[in-house]
Structures are given as C-alpha cells and as structure tokens.
Amino acid sequence: MVTATGLPAVAVDNYPDEPSEAAASVLDSTLFQEALLAAAYSDAGSESNPGPNEGNLNVELLGSQVVKLGDVEVRLDEILDFGQLGALASKSEASSPVDAHAVSGLLGADGGVTLDGKTEDFGKASVDVLSVARLLGVDSLTDEIVDQLLLEVGAGAAEVRAEDGVILDQDGVGGLGQYRVADLDLFLHSPVIEDAAASIHDIGGSVDTAVEDLVNENLDDSALTGLFDAVPGVPTPSVTVDSNMQETLFESVVGEPITSANQLLTIDLSTGELQVHLDKLVDNPDGSEGGLNELPPNFELIDDTTYPLIAETVHELMEEVTNVLIGAIEDSLDAVTVNLAFTDETGLDVSWSIPLTSAVDGNFPEAENNSTGLAAPVAEVLITTINTLGPAISELLAPVYELVISDEGDEIFELLVNDLKTGAITEPIRELLSPVFEVLAEVISITINRQVTETAEAGVTPTSTEAAEVVTSFDLSALSIALLPADEIARINLGNAAVRISPDGDGGGNPGEIDPSLTVDPVTVAPGQSTIATGEGYTPDSTATVQLTDPEGNPVGDAIPVDTDSEGSFSVPVPVPADAELGVYPVVGTDDTTGQAAEAPLAVVAGSDICAMDPTLTVEPGAVYPGDTVSVVGQGFPAGVPVVVQLRDAEGNPVGDPITVTPDEACGFITDLTVPEDAEPGDHVVEAEPEDGTPGAEAPLEILPPGTTPPGDECTDPSIVADPAAVEAGAEVMVTGTGFPAGATVTVQLQDTQGNDIGDPVTVTVGDDCGFETPITVPEGTPPGVIIVDAQPDDGSPGAQTPIIVVAGSTGGSGDGEDSGAGDGDLAATGANVTALIAAMVLLLGAGAVMIKRRREISQAFATAMGKMTDKRSV
C-alpha cells in the first residue's frame, strides 16, 4: 500500500525481483509523474549489485538537459540554476534482504557522504518561478508588478537506513530517516518597490518642512532678537529656520536593507528587491526551534495562510521604516539651523547660523562677518557680543529642541510619515504582493520532508488481533518542489534517499515476529513506592521505553529507557509519584525498534491498603536497665502512615516521650527507644499506634532494677552481628555471636534468600561467656544482593541469622559503610544509602522465627530496594 501521492523522488524499482534495494540522488525530477533525470544518482540491488555504489554531481551535464513544459521545450538551466551547488554526492548499498542504506549530501574528505556541514558548504540552486509561470501559461504578473521572481534553495540532504528488517528513525525527528534543508528564500524584484524610494525622498522633504514650521511656531523671535538691542548701531536681525535633513533621512531608509522584526521579510528600497525568508514561515507543531529541519512528514510550506502572514509583515516592515525615519530625525537635528542676519545700508553684513543641537551640546559655530566700510567697527562689536551669548541662546532654543524630540514632536512626524507611507509605499506593496502569491500558490508547491511509504502486513501484535503493518519501502526527499501542483506537471526533488526491504526474506529480523509482554511486581503499590517492570519478547540486544501512564492514558513522570538482553528481556524499577491519585496506572513497554508495545496494570492504592493488616512489634532486648536503649521493629503496618511508638508502665501510663516513625514501602520500620533514667523497674509495654486509627501492636519490655542480673539463662538468647554489613564478593566478614550455649559447636553458613548454601561452612566453639567470633569469606563470583549469615548450634538449640549485602564495587571497607564514597563498582552507594538499606533489611527480615517463611517476599522487596539504589547512583 502506498501512503503518499505522486511518484517517489528516487523510486526504488530498479531491482524489482531482488529482495532489497537502495537509491539516492542530490537532485531528480519528474514530468507528468514519469522519471525525467537525476543528478549524483546511485543505486544498489541486494543480489546483483549490493554496493556500496556512489554518484557525484555533474552540474554542467544536468543543466544541458532539455525538458518540455506545456508545449515548450527548454533547457533545464533556463529555469534552474545549479551553478552554486557544493561538492555533493550520493551513496547506496543493499547488503542483505533486510539491510539497506541510502544517503545524499556533502562529499567528505574521506570519501563519505554526510548530512553534517556548514550551510554554505551545501551551496544553492535557483528556480526562475517567473519564467516557469509564463512557460506554463500563467501570465498574470506583468513586468510593472514584478520582473524577477526567484526561489533560492539550499541543497538538501537525506539518509534512510534499514537494519534487520526495520527502517530506522535515525534522529528522532520528523519520522523515519533523517533529512536536512540548508536554506530557502524567495527573491522578488518590482519596479513598484524601486519607485517607492522616490516617495521616501519626498517624505524627507515633507519632514524638513514640518520641522521648519514647528520651530518657527515655537521659537520666541522677539526674545532672540532682543538679545542684541544693547549693541549700538546694530539693526534688528532677520530670523529664518532651515531644515536640511532630507538626504540624511532618505539615506537612513534606502542606504541599506531593512528586515522585519519577525525576520520574515527584508526590503531593499534602493534596488526594489523584496526577500522572503521562507524558513521563517515554519511554526513547528511541537513547539521546537529546529526550523526547516524538524518538521513532520510532508510539510507544505506555502499554502493559503502564506500571503496573509506576509501582508501583515509588510505592514510591520513599514512600521520599522517609520521607526528608522523618526530615529533619524533626532539624529539629524544638527541639519536644522536658526539663522540670524544683520544687514543695513552702511555695509553691515553679519550672519550667524545656529544648529538646533547647539541648545544641548553648547557647541556654537562662529558668526560670519562680511561687513565693509564704516560698518566694520560695529561688526567687530557685534561679533564680540555674539561670542558671549551662548548660554542665553541655549535657554531660548532648548524648549524648541525638547519639543521636536518629545512625544508630541514624534507624533507629529509619525502622523506625517504614516500618511505618506501608507499611500505611497505600504498599500502599493501590499497590492503588489497579493497577485504574486496567488500566482505562486498556483504555480509552485514546496514540501519539506516529503515521504512516500509502502507497507506490508506483518502478523498480529500482543495488543491487537489485527495484522500489523510494517514499512517495507521508504522514499525521502528533504525538499520537493511541484510545478502546477494541481496537475503535478513536474516535480523537482533535492536531497533524496530511498530503500526497499523484504522483512520476511532470508536473514530474519521480521519486526512482526517479536511478541512483547510486560509484567509488574508488585502489582499494587502506594503513592511514592515503586514496582519492577519485567519485559519479555522484545527485540534482542536493542532498546525499549517504559512509561507509567495515568488511568486516562497520559504519561506520568519521565519515560524510562532500557536495554534489552540477547533474549529480548529487561527489568527496570518504575516509580510512582508521591502525589499520584489512587487508581489503575497502566505501565507500557514499547519496543523502540518496531514500535510494538505491551502493558500491565498497576494498582495505586492507599498506603494503609498495601500490607495485610496484621501489625506485629518486636523489642530487642526484652529486658533492660533504666537508661538503656532498645530496638523496636514493626512489621505489617500501613506503608507511609506515621506510627507513634510509646513506652508505658503496667498501669498504661506513658513513660518518657513518644517517638513518631513512618513505615516504609515494605510496611515496616525500625527505631531506637531509650528507657528514661528515672523509669521504675517492672513490667512495661512498648506500643505502636498508626495515626490513621488502624490497629497497632505492642510488645512487652521488662525494666530491671539497677545492679541486678537479668533473669533466666544468659546463654539462651542467641544473636549474631556481621561486620562489615556491606562487602564485595571475595571479602571477609567477621561474625560475632552472643547468647549461645557455652561449649556448643556452632556452624556458620552463608545462604541466599531462598535458603540455598553459598560457599563452605565454618565451625566455631562457643566460649564460657556464651559468645564466639569467627571470620567467613564471601565466595568470589557471588552476585550482588542480599545474603544471609546463618549460625546454628549442633545441639539443636535455637540459632541466629543476620543479613549482609554483597555489592559490586568498593564500599570503603568500614564496618558501617558511613564513609564509603563512590568506588569503581556498579553500586557506588553512599554511606547513607548503605545504612538505609541495612535498616531496610532488618525491617524486612524481622525476627529469625519469621524470616524463613518470608524469603520470597524479602527477595522481591530487596529487588525493589536495590533498583532504587541503582537509580540514585545513575542520577
């Protein structure tokens, strides 16, 4: 099935009987949907011509081709100019039925072809749109409106790659394959725009007149001439105002091109040229700033929205012209002068031209003295007087200067400029552009990232009973220009690459053959907790993406990338935000290679619903003296719900201050409780009550009188401690036991959380103090994770167990992990992480009596805990 209309840019049909093929070119064209010619063309067939094969650009040969447009035959170089194209080439290869590669772009120094490079390296090609329009019979554009219309395009580049039966999205932008468009501009020359320069000159003259009128109206002539009343023999001077800004204002607008604020248009009034930067028409649908090179497939650049946007920009451009003119007025006020002339019949002839800017900079020019005869002495006195009047003149001119540059003055000029501008420039140019773009839309269509695909059925997916479609043929053009697009009389494609594959052929790799599935464990979590997502049946040795979604299917948190192993499996922690609302949250695992997905439901429930409501409390040791500290371990409490721990006497009265602790996601907690120094000896109870009112638990605690011996046999309460609690495989752990029967032989054995032995046991004899100490080595090759140290007396009396962590890296060697730092291993945990994990082990394991029956729960919980620590390390 073909999923785009029109002939593909570089049709991959040269080897129709072979399993796969590839083709690429820098430029190709079609006439009435029949292939016409191609430049820098290469192709490959998987059986007869696998390649890699190359094609280099020959501009001279390309331009000499004769094409027929309508009833007229023309050389291609009469409507297309390829002279500015860079060193471009293509390469094609079809190495197997499921592997093919095609690329067009810059020819590198190493002989490779690449999409990377500076824009100018690609060079440009030009399409004479006006000539094409007239050859095609579209002749509504007269020379009086526009006498040049060129589309200048930066050469395109494209690359398509198929691997193991899958056509790749190589850059994650714009669909399959990847492309590049270097530049795209429309150059328009019009006598109307060129004539507008004369209007600008006229505007400058009108501004001069307005300034002269404004100064004359607001200058106090009598005060100015009165400054000279005290000079004997001097007549009252004549006062005139001259503004000579016209040429300066004209040059400010016409002297260099002006670009609109949105960078879409550049106008050069001195040459009559308007440049439309077509890349600025792009408004990426995803909000990115990639411009021409991050567009979705088959993006039409010129459509019915193009001219309104350009027309609006013309108005904005004229506003910019206004701003330039108004700014130039203030910058040119030194060309505005107040002129004083002293003349009479005695030969007195003194003139003084004062720039308006002298009012602010105090830079007064010298007066000119052309007096003769008897008037010469009087003139000298007058000149001396003039040289002393600077401050007084400044006081008179300053108000006028301030008025000219004030908002009021700006408004006067702006109204004047806008009035002339609208009638002389803006409206004519807007009227000019309207038919230009109407014709342009009729004559030419520009498509960026043009794609033509063919698909084939590839079986069913785990989430659908319908056959999935897999892309088997893909044709990509970076830039495609259609002439008379309604009939597609001709098409020019720049930067082309195409491949065709046979996913079901020899070599395997059919993307329809994978059968992804996903499970989560646990299937119920509370907000803030994590589950483990396990995928199977994905593309082996590839990548997948795991995403938690809310009940409406919206993404929750960041997507989680994961690598698949050689069997197509993976396992990754998936956290649930602490503020997540309750409900069913599907976890979706998508195969990055094929796009196939599988999902598993995850129930997010209140923390109080996570654990079976069977809270238990253990206090160790069970008998202590005032001032001693006991360890309080809770299990089966609501996860995330604060619990208040309180010591009480036999009458239920509180003893000491309460402690508040929050159970973790394993529904347990551990906290120290110190017996007050003034606590009365006797039977006491440690109680733990959740704050949400759900059932709690309690455990007895005997407070012994100071100086007494604990009741019972000191050798009947065995316990062991392992130091350090976190070690590497091959390291030694010191095991210390207390409370064992004196003289008994104890076997110390390492075990996994399923109860299987690890390495050889160690035997040790218990001393008279009911204790022992012995080293035991964690065997080389022991995988990272939690293991158990088990100590059992040979007389069958109770033994003891404690967990340790095997880590894949240095923990610093200290017993508590407190200063481990980041070693070279895979789990470079901080001391705080190790301490937290050890505490979590104690919570999960609890008393030795319940540990064995909960091994599977412990294993799953520690898988989650270890996953979280790995996440922290990777941040």
Side-chain angles (χ1 to χ4, degrees):
M1 180 175 67
V2 179
T3 57
T5 59
L7 190 71
V10 183
V12 276
D13 57 2
N14 297 316
Y15 304 88
D17 298 326
E18 300 188 21
S20 71
E21 59 178 309
S25 73
V26 170
L27 178 144
D28 73 64
S29 60
T30 61
L31 181 65
F32 296 107
Q33 300 196 11
E34 294 295 330
L36 184 62
L37 56 90
Y41 177 81
S42 63
D43 63 20
S46 58
E47 294 180 347
S48 64
N49 184 25
N53 302 315
E54 298 179 5
N56 296 315
L57 181 64
N58 186 328
V59 172
E60 184 176 348
L61 177 63
L62 181 64
S64 66
Q65 298 292 319
V66 176
V67 297
K68 188 174 182 180
L69 295 179
D71 297 326
V72 181
E73 288 188 348
V74 296
R75 277 174 55 108
L76 198 59
D77 56 13
E78 292 183 26
I79 59 173
L80 296 174
D81 179 9
F82 306 107
Q84 301 178 61
L85 290 178
L88 305 174
S90 72
K91 182 178 290 187
S92 301
E93 182 177 13
S95 54
S96 80
V98 292
D99 298 284
H101 178 221
V103 59
S104 63
L106 282 173
L107 182 63
D110 60 355
V113 182
T114 176
L115 276 64
D116 298 325
K118 298 178 180 178
T119 298
E120 56 268 23
D121 292 339
F122 284 86
K124 296 182 179 181
S126 299
V127 181
D128 189 339
V129 180
L130 192 60
S131 296
V132 171
R134 290 171 177 170
L135 287 170
L136 293 174
V138 181
D139 199 20
S140 58
L141 297 179
T142 66
D143 286 341
E144 289 75 20
I145 297 176
V146 59
D147 54 18
Q148 185 182 52
L149 190 58
L150 292 177
L151 177 67
E152 191 173 87
V153 298
E159 183 175 23
V160 179
R161 185 183 295 274
E163 293 181 355
D164 296 328
V166 178
I167 298 176
L168 306 180
D169 179 359
Q170 294 156 258
D171 58 1
V173 174
L176 301 180
Q178 59 181 338
Y179 75 95
R180 180 169 179 193
V181 176
D183 233 339
L184 198 58
D185 295 287
L186 185 69
F187 292 89
L188 178 153
H189 181 271
S190 168
V192 176
I193 298 177
E194 197 165 4
D195 291 344
S199 299
I200 295 291
H201 194 266
D202 292 341
I203 290 174
S206 300
V207 170
D208 272 342
T209 301
V211 170
E212 290 172 358
D213 292 342
L214 187 62
V215 175
N216 277 319
E217 292 170 3
N218 293 276
L219 179 63
D220 189 344
D221 288 1
S222 61
L224 179 59
T225 59
L227 295 175
F228 304 94
D229 289 347
V231 182
V234 174
T236 301
S238 64
V239 180
T240 59
V241 177
D242 287 330
S243 178
N244 297 297
M245 296 188 290
Q246 184 175 26
E247 295 301 326
T248 302
L249 298 180
F250 175 74
E251 192 63 27
S252 69
V253 176
V254 178
E256 60 184 21
I258 299 175
T259 300
S260 61
N262 62 6
Q263 306 295 304
L264 177 60
L265 297 182
T266 296
I267 192 169
D268 189 338
L269 292 165
S270 67
T271 62
E273 184 177 84
L274 182 72
Q275 184 176 354
V276 184
H277 309 289
L278 294 174
D279 58 309
K280 302 305 179 184
L281 289 170
V282 172
D283 183 13
N284 288 20
D286 61 358
S288 64
E289 298 181 355
L292 294 174
N293 292 302
E294 290 188 5
L295 295 175
N298 302 306
F299 186 92
E300 287 290 337
L301 191 64
I302 294 180
D303 56 23
D304 56 3
T305 66
T306 303
Y307 175 68
L309 177 59
I310 291 177
E312 179 182 349
T313 302
V314 169
H315 179 76
E316 295 176 357
L317 187 60
M318 292 304 104
E319 288 299 323
E320 183 62 24
V321 170
T322 299
N323 294 335
V324 171
L325 278 173
I326 299 302
I329 290 173
E330 183 173 343
D331 293 339
S332 305
L333 287 180
D334 58 350
V336 179
T337 59
V338 177
N339 307 302
L340 302 178
F342 302 83
T343 59
D344 63 13
E345 66 280 359
T346 66
L348 181 65
D349 184 2
V350 174
S351 59
W352 190 23
S353 293
I354 312 168
L356 195 58
T357 53
S358 295
V360 291
D361 62 21
N363 186 18
F364 290 91
E366 295 182 356
E368 184 176 347
N369 182 10
N370 294 311
S371 303
T372 59
L374 297 175
V378 176
E380 290 297 330
V381 174
L382 178 58
I383 294 295
T384 301
T385 301
I386 288 175
N387 291 336
T388 65
L389 290 177
I393 296 292
S394 292
E395 291 183 7
L396 291 174
L397 295 185
V400 180
Y401 176 85
E402 294 298 334
L403 174 62
V404 173
I405 68 170
S406 69
D407 291 343
E408 181 180 351
D410 282 353
E411 289 175 5
I412 294 172
F413 302 132
E414 189 170 351
L415 288 172
L416 172 66
V417 172
N418 276 332
D419 182 54
L420 291 171
K421 176 199 69 179
T422 301
I425 304 176
T426 307
E427 291 180 358
I429 291 178
R430 291 184 66 160
E431 292 172 1
L432 155 76
L433 288 178
S434 179
V436 169
F437 281 92
E438 288 174 1
V439 169
L440 190 66
E442 180 182 353
V443 171
I444 198 169
S445 169
I446 300 175
T447 304
I448 308 295
N449 190 16
R450 183 173 186 262
Q451 300 183 2
V452 180
T453 61
E454 292 185 14
T455 59
E457 293 186 350
V460 298
T461 68
T463 57
S464 172
T465 58
E466 299 180 358
E469 291 185 344
V470 175
V471 177
T472 57
S473 177
F474 182 71
D475 191 297
L476 173 64
S477 292
L479 176 68
S480 183
I481 303 170
L483 304 181
L484 281 186
D487 300 318
E488 193 162 319
I489 188 173
R491 181 175 289 277
I492 302 164
N493 303 297
L494 286 164
N496 310 293
V499 300
R500 176 181 59 80
I501 54 175
S502 299
D504 293 318
D506 295 336
N510 184 354
E513 292 178 356
I514 70 167
D515 185 18
S517 63
L518 194 74
T519 59
V520 293
D521 186 18
V523 296
T524 302
V525 297
Q529 298 182 359
S530 297
T531 188
I532 299 294
T534 300
E536 296 180 350
Y538 287 76
T539 301
D541 296 318
S542 184
T543 60
T545 301
V546 177
Q547 177 68 65
L548 177 69
T549 62
D550 65 16
E552 286 72 42
N554 302 308
V556 176
D558 295 331
I560 304 170
V562 62
D563 295 328
T564 61
D565 61 19
S566 60
E567 302 298 324
S569 301
F570 64 82
S571 183
V572 65
V574 180
V576 175
D579 58 353
E581 297 182 359
L582 307 186
V584 177
Y585 285 62
V587 179
V588 180
T590 303
D591 186 84
D592 292 340
T593 302
T594 66
Q596 291 179 261
E599 65 179 53
L602 176 67
V604 178
V605 301
S608 59
D609 296 334
I610 292 295
C611 306
M613 294 309 296
D614 185 22
T616 61
L617 201 68
T618 301
V619 178
E620 178 64 33
V624 294
Y625 298 99
D628 286 351
T629 298
V630 297
S631 181
V632 181
V633 178
Q635 292 179 291
F637 284 80
V641 177
V643 172
V644 177
V645 177
Q646 177 68 64
L647 175 65
R648 296 186 181 276
D649 60 19
E651 286 73 36
N653 301 310
V655 177
D657 297 328
I659 299 170
T660 300
V661 61
T662 301
D664 62 10
E665 62 187 43
C667 307
F669 65 83
I670 182 171
T671 186
D672 290 337
L673 184 149
T674 300
V675 177
E677 294 282 357
D678 58 355
E680 294 291 334
D683 293 333
H684 287 64
V685 170
V686 178
E687 67 175 19
E689 300 293 337
E691 288 186 351
D692 64 355
T694 55
E698 63 180 33
L701 176 64
E702 182 181 2
I703 299 178
L704 304 172
T708 62
T709 301
D713 189 348
E714 294 181 356
C715 298
T716 59
D717 187 15
S719 65
I720 59 174
V721 174
D723 184 25
V727 297
E728 298 178 32
E732 188 177 83
V733 177
M734 184 61 67
V735 181
T736 301
T738 58
F740 285 80
T745 298
V746 174
T747 299
V748 180
Q749 173 70 58
L750 300 179
Q751 299 176 342
D752 62 22
T753 55
Q754 304 299 318
N756 302 308
D757 291 346
I758 299 174
D760 296 327
V762 175
T763 58
V764 61
T765 301
V766 180
D768 293 338
D769 61 352
C770 305
F772 66 83
E773 186 174 80
T774 184
I776 190 168
T777 301
V778 178
E780 293 282 358
T782 302
V786 177
I787 64 174
I788 307 300
V789 182
D790 180 76
Q792 298 296 328
D794 59 0
D795 61 1
S797 60
Q801 297 170 320
T802 191
I804 61 173
I805 306 168
V806 181
V807 296
S810 174
T811 62
S814 64
D816 58 4
E818 290 277 336
D819 190 25
S820 58
D824 296 328
D826 296 331
L827 185 62
T830 64
N833 287 339
V834 174
T835 302
L837 193 54
I838 294 171
M841 287 191 296
V842 176
L843 298 180
L844 291 168
L845 296 175
V850 300
M851 186 187 69
I852 300 299
K853 69 178 182 180
R854 295 191 61 200
R855 287 188 189 274
R856 183 168 297 277
E857 297 176 38
I858 293 167
S859 177
Q860 294 172 348
F862 267 95
T864 301
M866 293 294 288
K868 282 189 171 182
M869 289 193 63
T870 303
D871 287 345
K872 290 181 180 178
R873 176 201 59 184
S874 63
V875 172

